[in-house]
Amino acid sequence: MSQKSIQNELEYTKHVVSERLCYYEPPKNKLQKTFVEELSSSLNQKQKSIHPKFFYDKKGSELFEEICKLPEYYLTRTEINILTQLYEKLPPHLNGDFRLVELGSGSAKKTRIFISILERLQKHVEYFPIDVSNILKDSSKKLRDDYENLRVTGIIDSYESGLNFLKHYDHGNNLIIFLGSSFGNFSYENGLIFLQKINSSMKKSDLFLIGLDLVKDKTVLERAYNDSQDVTAKFNLNVLSRINSELDSDFNIRKFAHHAIYNENQNRVEIYLRSLENQTVNISKADMTLRIKQDELIHTENSCKFTIPKIKEMLSTTGFQIRDIWYDEKQHYCLVLFSKND
Ligand SMILES: C[S@@+](CC[C@H](N)C(=O)[O-])C[C@H]1O[C@@H](n2cnc3c(N)ncnc32)[C@H](O)[C@@H]1O
């Protein structure tokens, strides 16, 4: 399938911002249809849930940036600390020119480390961010302005659709990065399916680098998701405001509370919205009336924590070989570089 036909199949519109920056976007009505369909289904289950990708409207993306600066949220600064080791440690793995592909690029601050590494090694750098959030438009512009030899092609869509597009793009080498512990949002089973999907969209010469949070003390974990300034609570509750404004619903934010606990059996932080009373909510655009009991939990996110044996097992069962693993001093977090099996 050609690049043009996959663009047509995904119904993307190409926006050319300048010679070195363009992005592809699905039609607005398609995005809203997905939102309505997924939400109607997930809120109709016995365990009500809202998919975490819906956190990231403009306000949600801004709140996530605030979370990254919180003293309790060790993940961002720990990952950045390991990333700085890559100036020396990544180049030996790069054979030839690479395009940088980023899943869930967000504000693309960590991306700068990779662009700096690549621009030392090659004449031009091509960057391919994939993110459901419109934040991609601003972060891509900033990067284009700051790096003369950078060309950006963004996809404002889900990881899976972005990977489909990339698969048909060209024969160049891709260095795919997936940072911020976002892989931890998948359940174990869906994580394996996702890794298989990535494997099938990679060429032999491609590399994949992932940032994963490791199992650690329960108090450190629970503090990271229950910060003293309640920014994580605002981030969690904001998804209800987003549903109110985009799908015409009447969630009363004051009738819900943020709830995050570490499930030691499953090695994951589970995040919920807890209903403070018996209540009824109407979601007009989904044609739905929700009855929610006092103390009922709406699941909004899992953040899985990993052990090294588990990571190795997941990667080998999905057809990958590990090239290298890098840690911080406390072994709280790791970056894993891998490629497809021969
Ligand atoms: C936890 S933030 C991480 C941002 C950045 N990579 C970092 O490490 O700071 C997750 C990012 O992925 C995007 N995202 C979440 N779920 C997604 C999905 N299913 N498909 C595409 N993007 C997604 C969000 O919009 C957000 O920008």
Side-chain angles (χ1 to χ4, degrees):
M1 197 185 280
S2 70
Q3 189 198 336
K4 193 78 199 157
S5 46
I6 187 83
Q7 181 186 333
N8 289 342
E9 192 184 296
L10 292 166
E11 298 174 49
Y12 286 157
T13 304
K14 182 177 182 181
H15 301 268
V16 179
V17 181
S18 68
E19 205 196 324
R20 291 191 292 112
L21 171 60
C22 72
Y23 59 87
Y24 292 87
E25 205 173 23
K28 281 222 163 48
N29 59 359
K30 191 177 165 201
L31 290 176
Q32 194 181 62
K33 190 164 169 259
T34 313
F35 196 9
V36 168
E37 284 172 1
E38 290 194 26
L39 203 69
S40 310
S41 155
S42 68
L43 287 176
N44 255 325
Q45 308 297 316
K46 194 158 175 265
Q47 168 61 75
K48 296 182 178 61
S49 68
I50 300 171
H51 195 285
K53 71 180 170 209
F54 298 122
F55 279 137
Y56 299 93
D57 64 349
K58 188 165 189 298
K59 182 78 189 158
S61 289
E62 284 166 9
L63 284 166
F64 180 72
E65 287 309 299
E66 275 189 54
I67 290 176
C68 292
K69 294 181 206 141
L70 292 167
E72 296 95 335
Y73 199 74
Y74 61 87
L75 291 94
T76 306
R77 60 175 181 279
T78 309
E79 188 175 52
I80 291 175
N81 181 290
I82 312 171
L83 285 170
T84 55
Q85 299 176 24
L86 298 191
Y87 284 107
E88 282 182 17
K89 294 183 175 165
L90 187 61
H93 292 281
L94 302 175
N95 207 344
D97 282 7
F98 275 79
R99 174 192 299 115
L100 181 64
V101 178
E102 182 165 19
L103 304 177
S105 46
S107 65
K109 287 188 182 137
K110 299 167 189 166
T111 315
R112 290 171 181 263
I113 295 177
F114 291 90
I115 297 174
S116 302
I117 293 172
L118 292 176
E119 73 170 358
R120 284 187 201 167
L121 300 171
Q122 51 198 61
K123 235 174 157 183
H124 300 283
V125 180
E126 204 185 346
Y127 175 52
F128 206 109
I130 300 169
D131 200 299
V132 276
S133 168
N134 277 322
I135 193 176
L136 185 148
K137 296 178 191 172
D138 288 341
S139 53
S140 298
K141 268 191 208 136
K142 284 187 192 138
L143 289 179
R144 177 211 50 191
D145 293 345
D146 291 348
Y147 296 90
E148 269 177 30
N149 296 330
L150 182 71
R151 186 177 286 273
V152 186
T153 304
I155 303 271
I156 304 182
D157 206 347
S158 65
Y159 308 134
E160 290 83 356
S161 301
L163 284 168
N164 267 345
F165 188 81
L166 179 73
K167 193 171 174 178
H168 302 279
Y169 199 65
D170 68 8
H171 299 292
N173 300 331
N174 294 312
L175 166 62
I176 307 173
I177 59 174
F178 193 21
L179 305 175
S181 162
S182 296
F183 179 74
N185 296 152
F186 289 106
S187 66
Y188 177 70
E189 296 72 25
N190 288 341
L192 288 181
I193 294 169
F194 188 67
L195 287 173
Q196 271 151 1
K197 162 110 200 152
I198 287 174
N199 190 296
S200 71
S201 62
M202 278 170 72
K203 298 180 287 297
K204 282 263 164 62
S205 56
D206 289 348
L207 290 170
F208 193 97
L209 185 134
I210 196 164
L212 298 171
D213 198 15
L214 299 173
V215 169
K216 63 182 69 60
D217 187 66
K218 184 181 161 99
T219 48
V220 176
L221 287 167
E222 289 195 339
R223 231 186 288 134
Y225 296 86
N226 287 292
D227 65 277
S228 55
Q229 295 167 55
D230 283 341
V231 184
T232 315
K234 281 188 201 140
F235 173 74
N236 195 12
L237 287 160
N238 178 63
V239 75
L240 300 182
S241 306
R242 178 182 188 181
I243 300 170
N244 281 349
S245 67
E246 293 184 26
L247 302 185
D248 256 339
S249 61
D250 57 3
F251 280 102
N252 182 340
I253 312 304
R254 273 168 302 204
K255 293 186 182 173
F256 290 88
H258 168 70
H259 180 70
I261 45 152
Y262 184 55
N263 179 333
E264 280 174 298
N265 293 327
Q266 301 287 339
N267 285 341
R268 67 184 183 213
V269 175
E270 297 175 353
I271 303 179
Y272 301 91
L273 289 162
R274 185 168 62 83
S275 175
L276 298 175
E277 56 186 72
N278 289 331
Q279 51 181 314
T280 302
V281 177
N282 291 301
I283 309 177
S284 299
K285 288 199 177 151
D287 210 4
M288 166 174 215
T289 301
L290 269 185
R291 276 171 243 298
I292 311 171
K293 294 201 191 84
Q294 177 165 3
D295 289 329
E296 187 174 344
L297 299 173
I298 302 179
H299 181 255
T300 51
E301 188 172 63
N302 281 333
S303 186
C304 294
K305 309 300 163 189
F306 299 90
T307 60
I308 298 300
K310 195 82 198 164
I311 294 170
K312 289 185 172 162
E313 178 213 300
M314 290 179 86
L315 291 179
S316 77
T317 54
T318 49
F320 289 109
Q321 54 179 317
I322 296 184
R323 295 288 193 91
D324 222 328
I325 309 186
W326 299 291
Y327 307 88
D328 60 305
E329 261 178 16
K330 293 184 186 160
Q331 302 222 339
H332 271 184
Y333 199 93
C334 71
L335 291 178
V336 189
L337 181 71
F338 47 97
S339 58
K340 258 172 108 112
N341 265 338
D342 291 331

